[in-house]
Amino acid sequence: MTAWLMYLGKDPKRVGGGYDDNSATHYSWDSRVPNATGVQVGDRIVLWDGETSLGLSVIETIETGTGTKDLSSCPKCGKADIAPRKTMTPTYRCWTRECKAEFDRPAVETVDVITYRARYEAGWLDLQGHLTAPELRALCEEKKSQNALRRLRWDEFRARVESGRNATPLSVIDRAEDVIAGGHAKTVVRVRKGQPAFRAALLNTFGEVCAFTGTMPATVLEAAHLYSYAKKSVHHASGGLLLRRDVHRLFDLGEIAIDPHTLTLDVAVTTRAYPVYDQLHGRPLTVPVDAGHRKWLAKHWDMHRGGPAAIPAQSSGRLDPVTA
């Protein structure tokens, strides 16, 4: 799998390109961008804004489509190496060494393109400010590249992030790779048929309560499936809980699991390095669950903790989260 440094900043070519981006969920480009076809599902990506790192993740899906793009160029030499100037006139200058023409309006050609959108929300790890622009450029395979998509030397990047100042473990990325390779979470951010109704049913059952962290505003609560929706494609009545967005991601990746016998949270050791998640380890669920929930929680536990947990016989009624 390849690692990429992807530019998401305010460069005129990026802003003027009409790209629809959200740093924590998806990134867009088109077939006119160098390395456009090299990016694949399962690749690691690091986003930056031209000055500092923003975060990293693993690509879950890549959506393709068609569209058009306006290409601006120098009206004299036809090269695209032009940029607007903030204070000088004429507004534009061609930076091609052999040309250096100045002009107010570039030549514009509309061309057909293939569009790409990579989605990677489940494994997103915020690294805002962790690495500077010079540090990131030095970790690229081609240090002087100006491309928006640049190949990154992953082993060196990882060593830098996991040591030194602001050391951050990347175990979440490893888990995301395993899940995507196994086909379990490729639809984590896809809009699912019936999802709004499923969430509404969970709100009606549990109220505005995150099953891991307690009472929360409804706006931050997501309907979390306790099984792989990609495989089942059905919303089971006892197959979901309401979870705050961040712990939902960690649950999907197996960084947080529920012991189906004790109904307590089991947080992976590497994730416990973060105090906000360490304090969740060993805590009971904040909502009651029934035998159906326990069945799905047992399967999730088996998948992510490497073995089945013993589950005592249960009645079909709902179970108290603390005493069950």
Side-chain angles (χ1 to χ4, degrees), residues 139-189:
L139 292 169
C140 292
E141 290 185 2
E142 298 181 17
K143 298 179 181 179
K144 296 184 179 180
S145 172
Q146 298 297 311
N147 294 334
L149 307 179
R150 314 180 195 188
R151 286 184 173 83
L152 195 65
R153 299 197 302 277
W154 174 255
D155 289 342
E156 294 178 39
F157 172 83
R158 179 167 193 155
R160 168 63 186 81
V161 172
E162 293 188 323
S163 62
R165 76 177 194 276
N166 300 323
T168 302
L170 300 187
S171 57
V172 170
I173 299 301
D174 296 332
R175 176 63 67 180
E177 289 178 341
D178 292 342
V179 168
I180 291 169
H184 173 63
K186 287 189 176 181
T187 58
V188 169
V189 299

Side-chain angles (χ1 to χ4, degrees), residues 7-155:
Y7 173 77
L8 199 166
K10 297 181 180 179
D11 181 273
K13 292 182 180 179
R14 178 112 197 127
V15 175
Y19 297 112
D20 172 26
D21 298 317
N22 183 317
S23 62
T25 61
H26 60 274
Y27 180 91
S28 303
W29 68 98
D30 61 60
S31 53
R32 301 289 301 199
V33 175
N35 297 319
T37 60
V39 183
Q40 303 294 320
V41 170
D43 283 355
R44 311 170 185 101
I45 60 170
V46 177
L47 269 63
W48 71 312
D49 61 5
E51 298 180 359
T52 183
S53 59
L54 300 175
L56 77 154
S57 193
V58 178
I59 296 177
E60 301 163 47
T61 61
I62 297 178
E63 303 165 356
T64 60
T66 58
T68 61
K69 183 176 184 177
D70 291 337
L71 300 181
S72 298
S73 61
C74 173
K76 180 178 180 181
C77 70
K79 302 291 185 180
D81 189 14
I82 63 174
R85 300 184 290 191
K86 294 182 179 180
T87 59
M88 299 180 64
T89 56
T91 305
Y92 287 86
R93 180 180 179 181
C94 177
W95 295 100
T96 303
R97 181 178 300 178
E98 296 80 11
C99 184
K100 303 295 184 182
E102 297 181 337
F103 45 94
D104 285 317
R105 294 183 180 179
V108 178
E109 178 187 8
T110 301
V111 298
D112 294 327
V113 295
I114 299 172
T115 60
Y116 302 90
R117 177 182 290 174
R119 295 188 177 274
Y120 46 79
E121 181 178 11
W124 176 255
L125 181 62
D126 193 313
L127 288 179
Q128 178 77 43
H130 273 53
L131 282 82
T132 64
E135 289 174 317
L136 289 167
R137 292 190 185 97
L139 292 169
C140 292
E141 290 185 2
E142 298 181 17
K143 298 179 181 179
K144 296 184 179 180
S145 172
Q146 298 297 311
N147 294 334
L149 307 179
R150 314 180 195 188
R151 286 184 173 83
L152 195 65
R153 299 197 302 277
W154 174 255
D155 289 342

